[in-house]
Amino acid sequence: MPTFPSRPFRGSSSAPTLAAAYRAALAKHPFLLFGFPFIATMVAGSFFLTPATAIRYEKHDRKVRQLSKEEELGLKGGGRRVDLNEEYYRLAAKDLDDWENKRVKRLKGENDGIL
């Protein structure tokens, strides 16, 4: 009888269990250890983050609706129509040679720029 048999020793812990089969599958297919969890995380994250992004866009839509309500109330205003010829003649009629330089009142303790 040879000293070292050709068959390796298999104890009771190496019996064909689910864990042993899983380890063997991981050794043969590393995608199960690295790729599948990554892809599963990306897909699950997409489903879990969908409500959060929906809230973001709903908030934006509420702001847009508020502006449209203000426009309905007339806060945007129409103003007066501007005619270029009318504006030109109105500005030309002003006397631009007779003017007076007025200094702006400074706040207390502010430098007035006079040396």
Side-chain angles (χ1 to χ4, degrees):
M1 182 161 133
T3 311
F4 297 106
S6 61
R7 284 190 310 147
F9 173 74
R10 295 180 195 248
S12 64
S13 63
S14 64
T17 61
L18 182 63
Y22 182 71
R23 278 194 303 270
L26 285 181
K28 290 179 186 175
H29 308 287
F31 174 78
L32 294 176
L33 181 63
F34 297 107
F36 181 72
F38 177 74
I39 292 174
T41 303
M42 293 298 118
V43 171
S46 172
F47 283 110
F48 285 121
L49 291 177
T50 300
T53 56
I55 290 171
R56 173 182 174 209
Y57 292 117
E58 288 170 4
K59 182 178 177 185
H60 176 72
D61 289 344
R62 273 187 253 126
K63 284 184 181 179
V64 171
R65 281 192 208 115
Q66 286 175 354
L67 290 176
S68 65
K69 286 179 184 177
E70 291 173 2
E71 290 173 0
E72 288 175 5
L73 292 174
L75 295 177
K76 188 173 184 180
R80 66 180 179 92
R81 292 187 59 100
V82 177
D83 182 23
L84 288 180
N85 288 331
E86 180 185 330
E87 289 296 316
Y88 173 77
Y89 290 120
R90 188 176 65 81
L91 290 173
K94 286 188 175 183
D95 185 18
L96 298 177
D97 294 329
D98 185 27
W99 58 275
E100 180 182 344
N101 189 12
K102 295 183 180 178
R103 289 187 58 84
V104 177
K105 221 175 185 184
R106 307 292 181 184
L107 296 174
K108 192 173 186 177
E110 186 180 4
N111 184 11
D112 61 355
I114 299 176
L115 297 176

